Amino acid sequence: MKRRDFIRLLPLAAGAMLAKPGYAQQSIWDMMSRSRTLDQTDRETHSVAALQAVDTNEPILSYDTANNLQLAIAQYEPFVLAGGWEQVPQEAYGLNIGNARDAVIALKRRLISSTDMPLTERIDDRFDTPLDAGLRRFQARHGLLISGQVDEATWYALNVPAEARLHQLRLNLLRVQAMAPKLADRYVVVNIPAASIETVDAGKVSRRHTAIVGRIDRQTPILKSRIHEINFNPFWNVPVSIIRRDLIKYMNEDADYLTKQNIRIYDGQGKQLQPSDINWQTEDAVNYNFRQDPGPNNSMGNVKINFHNRHAVYLHDTPTKGLFGENARFYSSGCVRVDEVQDFVEWVLRDNGDWARPEIAGIFASGERKDVAVKNPVELHTTYISAWANRQGTVSFRDDVYEFDMAGKVNLEG
């Protein structure tokens, strides 16, 4: 079932639950029991433990990842042959700690099957402390917001068949095996399905960054390059694709859009034009250059991170940081937005010697335009790893957003 179909059916499912005896309202005893359960549960501790299970210093892309994937495959194969795990019914939607429903039993069985919960002698219908811990662990392994509640994204991930997960493991093992021998000692990995970035040094992750990557119809390309330059407080030269797809539409909706966004128009000789000089009812605008001034509203934020590539993409800061807190972070037009970008730039400029975090924060605040060549250009990989594992035996999965897994793609570059 697709997510959109699930959302469409939610009102029907909710109505069915309310029609059942016991679901229209909770008794005073149920509410008291729920309160006791909440009091007894340290949900923050459960979230921390869930994150610790996945947030090790092992890279997503490395020789060790290949070994860990092989071990995970060996565990999943006999389980899949035995029938895999059962589906979680729609009645589980919205469940969290303290609830008592029949669907809790199916949820517990599902999480025991994937080792997110320990095996127990008796499975009851109470959403209790162990289930809260297990669900949070499941959410961490799948890159979901750790809420302890069966939300839409969690329900969807719970119902991906074990056979499909095994297929992901096998496919991603081949991808990692193909790429691992080519890795430098120091490199950056942008993992598109996870919408995340890792900086790796001597086989260990120095830091992880949340990212925003290309939407399905404007995908971030798969490539290998080197980060060679940092532009502080940059201008933004609007790509032709965005002029065609977005700017023309925005100008037809609001004639002052360019002025509000501090975007200037130039012809081929560098002469500045006015918005009224362009026929916005046609594609005349693609014949001109559009450049946004540096500043707090600049689409690239305070910094642009350059690497040579034929797709004209780059890494950058962003003024709209709220999107980093979402489950699915596929919003860009192909470029990659980096959360906590000051730390990332400091790591990239490590060998430049004079760019520690205070200096970077200072130039951000000053608004000064400055370009810095990276003394030792850092290897960069944008890639597609939708399943991986660590030495602890924790296996992580992500949605096949670009359907590369469905297509069976192994050789991603080129």
Side-chain angles (χ1 to χ4, degrees):
M1 180 182 292
K2 298 290 187 183
R3 292 192 194 191
R4 59 178 176 270
D5 298 326
F6 173 62
I7 295 171
R8 179 174 53 82
L9 291 172
L10 276 180
L12 299 177
M17 284 189 286
L18 289 173
K20 294 181 181 179
Y23 286 108
Q25 60 182 15
Q26 290 185 313
S27 71
I28 186 66
W29 307 111
D30 286 337
M31 288 187 284
M32 289 174 64
S33 174
R34 175 179 173 84
S35 178
R36 285 196 300 271
T37 305
L38 289 169
D39 290 342
Q40 294 165 0
T41 301
D42 188 344
R43 287 167 288 176
E44 184 176 347
T45 299
H46 290 167
S47 294
V48 170
L51 287 172
Q52 287 175 341
V54 298
D55 194 19
T56 68
N57 64 1
E58 298 169 71
I60 286 175
L61 179 57
S62 70
Y63 275 114
D64 285 343
T65 309
N67 295 331
N68 297 334
L69 279 167
Q70 288 173 325
L71 292 173
I73 289 168
Q75 292 175 339
Y76 270 70
E77 283 177 334
F79 181 74
V80 169
L81 285 173
W85 47 64
E86 65 183 80
Q87 297 286 288
V88 177
Q90 287 183 14
E91 287 79 7
Y93 184 82
L95 286 174
N96 62 6
I97 195 161
N99 292 146
R101 297 183 194 169
D102 292 342
V104 170
I105 296 173
L107 179 60
K108 286 183 174 179
R109 286 176 178 164
R110 169 65 181 83
L111 293 177
I112 289 170
S113 296
S114 55
T115 70
D116 292 294
M117 279 185 67
L119 189 62
T120 182
E121 291 184 4
R122 180 175 176 272
I123 299 176
D124 59 25
D125 66 353
R126 177 69 61 185
F127 198 125
D128 51 19
T129 297
L131 179 53
D132 180 75
L135 185 61
R136 289 171 192 270
R137 177 184 168 88
F138 177 89
Q139 289 172 327
R141 291 195 305 110
H142 293 77
L144 304 171
L145 297 179
I146 302 177
S147 64
Q149 183 179 50
V150 182
D151 53 23
E152 179 225 333
T154 301
W155 184 88
Y156 179 86
L158 285 164
N159 283 300
V160 175
E163 184 178 5
R165 294 308 192 193
L166 178 57
H167 171 70
Q168 280 185 276
L169 290 170
R170 288 170 171 164
L171 192 59
N172 283 279
L173 172 61
L174 296 176
R175 290 172 183 163
V176 172
Q177 287 176 327
M179 290 183 283
K182 306 173 186 176
L183 295 172
D185 189 58
R186 190 165 183 261
Y187 58 95
V188 174
V189 173
V190 177
N191 187 19
I192 295 166
S196 69
I197 298 170
E198 291 181 346
T199 58
V200 182
D201 211 337
K204 295 182 179 180
V205 174
S206 298
R207 189 176 181 88
R208 288 191 174 91
H209 297 262
T210 303
I212 295 168
V213 297
R215 64 190 86 169
I216 293 172
D217 61 337
R218 305 186 194 183
Q219 298 180 6
T220 295
I222 306 296
L223 57 85
K224 176 183 176 181
S225 186
R226 286 186 177 272
I227 298 173
H228 67 91
E229 185 183 52
I230 305 294
N231 303 143
F232 288 106
N233 302 305
F235 289 99
W236 179 45
N237 295 300
V238 185
V240 172
S241 61
I242 293 180
I243 296 171
R244 179 176 286 113
R245 295 178 178 182
D246 298 325
L247 269 191
I248 293 174
K249 180 182 70 173
Y250 296 156
M251 283 299 292
N252 279 299
E253 294 171 352
D254 179 3
D256 294 326
Y257 176 80
L258 293 179
T259 302
K260 293 175 181 177
Q261 296 298 319
N262 297 314
I263 297 176
R264 304 175 190 274
I265 313 168
Y266 299 91
D267 65 15
Q269 286 70 48
K271 178 185 175 183
Q272 186 172 343
L273 306 177
Q274 297 302 312
S276 57
D277 295 330
I278 293 176
N279 183 354
W280 296 102
Q281 303 304 313
T282 69
E283 289 199 348
D284 181 40
V286 301
N287 299 310
Y288 300 95
N289 300 315
F290 291 77
R291 191 180 75 178
Q292 188 177 36
D293 293 339
N297 295 322
N298 186 283
S299 294
M300 290 186 293
N302 291 116
V303 67
K304 177 187 177 191
I305 299 140
N306 291 319
F307 47 92
H308 298 297
N309 68 94
R310 62 185 175 84
H311 307 280
V313 295
Y314 40 83
L315 275 60
H316 64 97
D317 184 21
T318 176
T320 54
K321 292 180 171 55
L323 296 177
F324 289 119
E326 297 195 7
N327 267 326
R329 298 181 298 277
F330 307 95
Y331 293 106
S332 84
S333 295
C335 294
V336 179
R337 306 174 202 174
V338 186
D339 195 18
E340 299 180 347
V341 73
Q342 292 188 27
D343 295 318
F344 182 83
V345 171
E346 180 184 27
W347 186 87
V348 170
L349 293 177
R350 180 194 67 180
D351 295 335
N352 281 56
D354 52 355
W355 285 104
R357 206 174 189 288
E359 286 73 28
I360 294 168
I363 197 167
F364 275 25
S366 72
E368 177 190 356
R369 273 284 301 115
K370 189 174 183 65
D371 300 330
V372 177
V374 181
K375 283 190 176 178
N376 291 314
V378 182
E379 187 170 282
L380 169 78
H381 299 264
T382 64
T383 192
Y384 199 92
I385 307 296
S386 62
W388 64 93
N390 60 31
R391 291 191 196 96
Q392 295 175 301
T394 304
V395 185
S396 295
F397 295 101
R398 296 296 185 271
D399 285 350
D400 182 20
V401 288
Y402 291 174
E403 297 187 345
F404 285 7
D405 293 352
M406 185 183 296
K409 284 190 176 183
V410 174
N411 297 317
L412 300 172
E413 293 182 16

